[in-house]
Amino acid sequence: MRVSYDADGTAAGDLDPVAARAVIEQAKGAVMLVYGLDAEQAFAILRVRSQETNTKLRVLAANVAAELPSIGVTGELRSRVDRLLSTAHEQSR
């Protein structure tokens, strides 16, 4: 789902602040996972790209988040996350 724009340049169907924050966090998490960055570094990448393209951060994040399912997850990554989820409760004891 790409964000469309109204004639005045505002994003059609703008997200409310809570939803906008959630979609930014989702995009940030994807960047963190793929590039092995911390939250601050991932947010900086999104912010810089937003500025470079003159696109609102929430719109950029919504577009990234919308495309995540089409990227797919490799079997190895899925297996590693499955293992992590099944043993994470043991890690913090």
Side-chain angles (χ1 to χ4, degrees), residues 11-53:
D14 267 347
L15 300 171
D16 66 72
V18 173
R21 190 69 183 141
V23 78
I24 290 168
E25 290 298 318
Q26 186 177 7
K28 187 171 74 172
V31 172
M32 290 169 64
L33 177 65
V34 170
Y35 294 106
L37 303 174
D38 65 28
E40 189 175 310
Q41 293 168 319
F43 186 76
I45 285 176
L46 292 172
R47 185 183 65 242
V48 166
R49 190 65 185 144
S50 168
Q51 292 169 349
E52 288 174 345
T53 61

Side-chain angles (χ1 to χ4, degrees), residues 29-91:
V31 172
M32 290 169 64
L33 177 65
V34 170
Y35 294 106
L37 303 174
D38 65 28
E40 189 175 310
Q41 293 168 319
F43 186 76
I45 285 176
L46 292 172
R47 185 183 65 242
V48 166
R49 190 65 185 144
S50 168
Q51 292 169 349
E52 288 174 345
T53 61
N54 195 29
T55 305
K56 291 185 182 208
L57 182 60
R58 68 179 178 271
V59 173
L60 180 77
N63 290 341
V64 168
E67 292 299 319
L68 289 174
S70 70
I71 293 173
V73 176
T74 66
E76 180 186 351
L77 177 58
R78 184 172 303 208
S79 294
R80 293 181 76 176
V81 171
D82 285 345
R83 248 189 324 276
L84 174 62
L85 287 172
S86 67
T87 61
H89 66 284
E90 298 169 354
Q91 305 294 327

